[in-house]
Amino acid sequence: MGDLPTAPALLALARDVLLTELLPLLPQEAHLDARLVANGMAIAEREATVGNEPHAAILRELRRLYSDHPQADPAQNGEVEVETEEFGLLRRFAQDLRSGAFDRSEPHSRRARDILWQLTIVRLRLANPRFLNANGFS
Amino acid sequence: MEGTASPRSEPSQDPSAAAGERRTRLAHFLAPAAGASAVEITSLSPLRGGAIQENWAVDASFRDGPLAGSQQLVLRTTAQTGVTASLSRIEEFAVLKAAFDAGVTVPEPLFATDDEAVFGKPFFIMRRVKGIAAAHRITRDPALDPALPALAERLGRELARIHTIRPPRHDLAFLPAPDEVGPARQVAAFRAYLNKHATPRPVLEWGIHWLETHFPTPVAPVLCHHDFRTGNYMLEGPELTGILDWEFAGWGDPFEDIGWFCSKGWRFARLDREAGGIAERAAFYAGYERESGRPLDPRRVFFWEVLAGVRWAVIALEQSDRYMIGGERNLDLALTGRRASECELEILMMLDPSGVPADG
């Protein structure tokens, strides 16, 4: 177990100090950069908060999609293996989408598109949840 | 891209010790170019915001000749990090001149040189137009709201005027031939990029596959601006003062510019205003149709809008690569890669509207 405060808590506090205490002291021409720093910290904080679970969920969906045609052994326990397996399956998925491999079967195509939505929403929840909200997503 | 070069913000002072010498060399270039017996550079300062190009505000006093008196100018040259898809400054000058001659509202192009002895790099000089180009301000400012439908209509007319420039053109002979451009070439380029990109992008692959199975029938090529959008034109109050950033111009399908202008990636603070974040599409389309005399086919616009989403995503990833691979220490570039997912969401919303997750 790591020390406290946690990484997300430290990032949240540091970001708050930057925006509320430091930003008003900075010259106007440095405000944009300071806001970019705050944005980068917010993304890092969200990623540190959710951990690996969203990626593991995508991986489960990809495994299910490819369950009829496994190419590799399922991942062992541990983050490194999950990342490696997710990367391999994502690459295969991307190649299949490029070649139109799902076009011939509507149920298969639907499952593939569901994963695309899931993947995109997971990424945007981390990178830009406001954009997601502005487009009607929670 | 947002933040690319243009004379759009207040100058800051050049701290370089060589500034005086640089002014002298520039004055010596400008005098004969402008038919003046003498030119004095009264101010030379970099303008902020040039990620791809570098712009300098130049205040110059011409003793005589056609520009006699004080002139406010912009010197545009290439930034340290060039982007491969962009025209050279000499070529951009030629395109700007063609647009100016066609009656498009642009900063008047004046002189260009590839003599590196003057400023260290090739550059061109244009008049400095007044106003702001900041897209977030334009799309957020309530004081501008009443004028924005008319602005969208005007921009539609301006775009139609750009599209009156058609090949063959001797002065634009450097542009890739029309049969060397087009959506098939772009699809191939997107895939070539994704082949070497570190992370698989399934949504982009899916969107590109849709594109290649829905190519529109070819139309007669025109000059496309290829970055015609909010953020690349200057407004003084509600008045359009200039269309900027011609570095990506080339022959293409006219609907490409329309799709780019309307794509969600360029609506900034107002996603609901589908014409560049400033108005309904109808106003923009009406201006284009009135000026060109041709109706716009929404299906063609749709195709090019999907392509715009893919293109913006690839550009965002390329910007991030400048940090990830190129080692440029620039937080803005590093963060831009994250925006690719915004484009991917839009691609999904356009191509799979019935698939929106129930809990989304």
Side-chain angles (χ1 to χ4, degrees):
Chain A
M1 181 170 167
D3 225 338
L4 297 174
T6 62
L10 279 175
L11 280 164
L13 176 62
R15 184 171 180 270
D16 186 54
V17 170
L18 171 67
L19 289 174
T20 59
E21 295 175 29
L22 299 180
L23 187 69
L25 303 176
L26 290 172
Q28 191 66 36
E29 60 266 29
H31 281 203
L32 179 61
D33 282 340
R35 290 192 186 283
L36 287 173
V37 171
N39 187 25
M41 293 169 83
I43 293 171
E45 181 196 334
R46 288 190 290 268
E47 290 199 356
T49 302
V50 302
N52 206 41
E53 175 45 34
H55 299 281
I58 303 278
L59 178 57
R60 284 194 294 274
E61 292 302 321
L62 287 169
R63 277 187 197 148
R64 210 167 292 147
L65 182 74
Y66 286 118
S67 58
D68 299 339
H69 305 284
Q71 270 194 336
D73 291 331
Q76 309 300 308
N77 291 332
E79 204 161 290
V80 174
E81 288 80 2
V82 168
E83 277 182 20
T84 308
E85 190 195 358
E86 185 193 13
F87 186 87
L89 281 177
L90 264 184
R91 189 161 55 191
R92 181 181 172 189
F93 187 42
Q95 284 165 351
D96 284 347
L97 289 160
R98 177 182 292 201
S99 65
F102 304 111
D103 292 358
R104 287 177 294 278
S105 156
E106 175 50 28
H108 223 169
S109 172
R110 182 68 268 160
R111 276 166 70 192
R113 280 176 281 151
D114 288 344
I115 296 174
L116 295 179
W117 279 103
Q118 189 180 351
L119 185 63
T120 304
I121 289 171
V122 159
R123 284 182 172 167
L124 279 172
R125 279 201 181 118
L126 299 172
N128 193 348
R130 269 203 306 191
F131 183 80
L132 213 45
N133 292 341
N135 280 280
F137 296 85
S138 56
Chain B
M1 303 312 305
E2 188 179 18
T4 54
S6 37
R8 58 190 62 171
S9 44
E10 287 305 308
S12 56
Q13 281 307 306
D14 174 17
S16 166
E21 197 182 317
R22 188 181 257 169
R23 286 183 192 203
T24 306
R25 287 197 306 268
L26 186 57
H28 286 163
F29 162 75
L30 283 175
S37 58
V39 171
E40 185 192 356
I41 307 295
T42 53
S43 173
L44 175 66
S45 48
L47 290 160
R48 245 184 88 102
I52 299 173
Q53 312 308 337
E54 183 181 301
N55 295 290
W56 294 71
V58 181
D59 292 344
S61 177
F62 294 76
R63 182 180 294 173
D64 42 30
L67 295 180
S70 295
Q71 301 292 348
Q72 294 195 315
L73 310 170
V74 166
L75 181 154
R76 183 163 165 89
T77 186
T78 306
Q80 286 300 334
T81 307
V83 167
T84 46
S86 96
L87 300 177
S88 76
R89 300 292 64 74
I90 304 302
E91 292 166 344
E92 187 182 12
F93 178 76
V95 169
L96 191 60
K97 220 166 167 323
F100 182 78
D101 293 343
V104 182
T105 304
V106 293
E108 183 184 358
L110 296 171
F111 317 109
T113 181
D114 57 5
D115 180 358
E116 297 186 1
V118 183
F119 209 75
K121 295 176 275 193
F123 67 88
F124 70 84
I125 299 277
M126 57 185 161
R127 286 192 194 275
R128 193 154 84 234
V129 294
K130 292 196 166 111
I132 60 154
H136 281 287
R137 283 173 65 185
I138 291 170
T139 52
R140 270 204 182 99
D141 184 356
L144 279 177
D145 275 356
L148 292 180
L151 173 67
E153 201 269 347
R154 167 84 182 269
L155 286 166
R157 281 191 282 127
E158 295 281 342
L159 185 59
R161 229 170 274 159
I162 295 170
H163 292 166
T164 61
I165 303 167
R166 291 167 180 253
R169 288 274 299 231
H170 182 67
D171 55 332
L172 303 177
F174 53 84
L175 294 175
D179 59 359
E180 292 173 11
V181 294
R185 296 271 178 166
Q186 295 193 53
V187 160
F190 295 148
R191 282 183 171 154
Y193 172 76
L194 290 174
N195 286 345
K196 60 185 173 100
H197 185 65
T199 314
R201 304 296 306 202
V203 179
L204 296 184
E205 295 287 4
W206 177 69
I208 293 167
H209 177 64
W210 182 89
L211 289 171
E212 83 171 342
T213 52
H214 293 80
F215 284 147
T217 50
V219 291
V222 299
L223 185 75
C224 289
H225 181 285
H226 283 154
D227 201 9
F228 188 87
R229 60 165 176 89
T230 299
N232 275 344
Y233 53 80
M234 296 277 277
L235 287 188
E236 188 182 22
E239 285 302 313
L240 180 74
T241 54
I243 293 162
L244 308 174
D245 288 3
W246 292 77
E247 68 215 35
F248 297 107
W251 305 124
D253 184 320
F255 287 84
E256 189 170 358
D257 277 338
I258 292 160
W260 189 249
F261 184 82
C262 294
S263 70
K264 195 177 273 179
W266 301 122
R267 295 182 200 161
F268 298 90
R270 291 298 299 265
L271 299 183
D272 57 318
R273 297 198 292 217
E274 295 188 359
I278 59 171
E280 303 289 314
R281 283 173 197 260
F284 178 62
Y285 285 13
Y288 189 91
E289 289 175 343
R290 209 164 289 151
E291 184 76 20
S292 68
R294 292 190 308 275
L296 287 175
D297 177 353
R299 286 169 307 173
R300 291 187 80 93
V301 179
F302 184 87
F303 172 87
W304 285 105
E305 214 166 307
V306 174
L307 189 138
V310 174
R311 182 180 161 210
W312 202 153
V314 168
I315 291 171
L317 296 173
E318 284 175 332
Q319 296 288 65
S320 183
D321 287 347
R322 288 166 64 183
Y323 162 73
M324 296 285 291
I325 299 168
E328 271 188 73
R329 189 179 161 281
N330 182 316
L331 183 57
D332 196 4
L333 292 177
L335 286 170
T336 301
R338 297 279 184 157
R339 298 203 58 193
S341 291
E342 298 171 20
C343 307
E344 290 171 330
L345 183 71
E346 177 60 4
I347 291 165
L348 282 164
M349 290 175 77
M350 290 185 80
L351 298 183
D352 190 27
S354 63
V356 180
D359 58 350

